[in-house]
Amino acid sequence: MQTRIPKENTHQTPMKALLIVDMQNDFVPGGALAVKDGDEIVPLINRLQKSFDFVVATQDWHPDDHGSFAVNHEGKKIGDFITLAGTPQILWPAHCIQDSEGAAFHPFLNKSNWKAIFQKGTNPEVDSYSGFYDNNRKGDTGLSAYLKEAGVQKLYVCGLALDYCVKFTVLDGISEGFQVFLIADATKAVNLQPDDGYNALREMESAGAVILKSEELI
Ligand code: VGL
Ligand code: ZN
């Protein structure tokens, strides 16, 4: 009897995507909301991109009257907490204002193979850390539908900042049903509190993310 050997079906291979979060001028040293050593991961992210056929990016993209900016709340300063659209909101320096140099991607970041860019934080009434949904989970950037349409199942996340936009993107990615991998050496934390980056890693891991190192991919 003949044994039927199934033909290899490329569609059965889980599609993997690299998601680069907020690698923008305002989040690197010299920028308005600089993450310490944030620029150091640019060459690594460029190397990582070579291991992926499918690369997408998010871009923090605020109007100048955005409610997360301390300057837009009289008597408030950076780091204060307010309630914005019913949710607690920490106040940031004005950053990533639409069409400004600060909102532009880092000049050394290779953007030539990106499939799409998902902008977030455009609604002045609510902040948006995750690349999928705003902090009230109302506004949808379309990222989830886009990835699903493309057949992506495995999502590899890197970029800035580990304890804010990277963390919330990873958590939403998991709840959207993706298998999510966090590339630990291709991200940096704001660390308003010294352990924020470490705690973010633990939180993502508890939620089901796999924490790995870039050397496992390159
Ligand atoms: C971010 C704070 C405010 C980030 C964006 O990209 O992590 N953090 N807006
Ligand atoms: Zn922002």
Side-chain angles (χ1 to χ4, degrees), residues 81-92:
F81 275 90
I82 60 155
T83 301
L84 191 64
T87 45
Q89 172 71 48
I90 190 164
L91 292 176
W92 301 109

Side-chain angles (χ1 to χ4, degrees), residues 77-218:
K77 56 184 195 310
I78 293 160
D80 285 352
F81 275 90
I82 60 155
T83 301
L84 191 64
T87 45
Q89 172 71 48
I90 190 164
L91 292 176
W92 301 109
H95 65 277
C96 295
I97 293 172
Q98 295 172 5
D99 298 310
S100 70
E101 201 41 43
F105 290 105
H106 190 283
F108 297 159
L109 192 63
N110 180 7
K111 298 171 274 289
S112 61
N113 294 317
W114 292 2
K115 301 271 188 223
I117 296 165
F118 292 84
Q119 295 177 330
K120 63 192 179 60
T122 53
N123 178 354
E125 310 289 335
V126 60
D127 210 355
S128 191
Y129 295 144
S130 151
F132 291 94
Y133 299 104
D134 66 31
N135 293 3
N136 287 336
R137 258 192 163 269
K138 287 198 186 110
D140 179 353
T141 61
L143 175 59
S144 184
Y146 179 86
L147 294 173
K148 284 172 185 169
E149 181 73 20
V152 171
Q153 293 173 17
K154 293 173 184 255
L155 197 54
Y156 293 78
V157 184
C158 63
L160 300 171
L162 173 61
D163 37 357
Y164 288 93
C165 292
V166 169
K167 179 178 95 172
F168 287 100
T169 299
V170 164
L171 296 178
D172 274 353
I174 294 165
S175 65
E176 284 300 306
F178 298 100
Q179 200 180 340
V180 183
F181 301 83
L182 185 275
I183 312 170
D185 51 334
T187 178
K188 296 278 180 190
V190 177
N191 281 331
L192 290 180
Q193 303 297 324
D195 288 341
D196 284 355
Y198 175 81
N199 290 335
L201 285 175
R202 298 289 79 82
E203 201 178 328
M204 290 184 272
E205 200 167 45
S206 307
V210 175
I211 314 294
L212 46 73
K213 290 193 192 132
S214 58
E215 65 191 29
E216 298 173 59
L217 300 167
I218 292 173

Side-chain angles (χ1 to χ4, degrees), residues 18-25 28 38-49 55-59 103-114 117 158-160 186:
L18 180 68
L19 174 56
I20 304 169
V21 176
D22 298 3
M23 283 306 298
Q24 297 165 257
N25 291 324
V28 299
D39 53 341
E40 286 183 5
I41 60 174
V42 172
L44 179 59
I45 292 175
N46 285 343
R47 266 183 281 140
L48 275 166
Q49 293 193 66
V55 182
V56 292
T58 64
Q59 187 173 32
F105 290 105
H106 190 283
F108 297 159
L109 192 63
N110 180 7
K111 298 171 274 289
S112 61
N113 294 317
W114 292 2
I117 296 165
C158 63
L160 300 171

Side-chain angles (χ1 to χ4, degrees), residues 8-77:
E8 208 183 8
N9 181 350
T10 50
H11 294 285
Q12 282 169 3
T13 311
M15 258 281 283
K16 59 171 197 167
L18 180 68
L19 174 56
I20 304 169
V21 176
D22 298 3
M23 283 306 298
Q24 297 165 257
N25 291 324
D26 270 343
F27 295 126
V28 299
L33 212 175
V35 178
K36 188 175 176 289
D37 303 331
D39 53 341
E40 286 183 5
I41 60 174
V42 172
L44 179 59
I45 292 175
N46 285 343
R47 266 183 281 140
L48 275 166
Q49 293 193 66
K50 296 185 186 139
S51 302
F52 289 83
D53 294 327
F54 201 100
V55 182
V56 292
T58 64
Q59 187 173 32
D60 212 34
W61 194 249
H62 298 305
D64 63 5
D65 63 347
H66 198 266
S68 74
F69 298 169
V71 68
N72 292 328
H73 301 273
E74 228 191 293
K76 298 285 177 195
K77 56 184 195 310

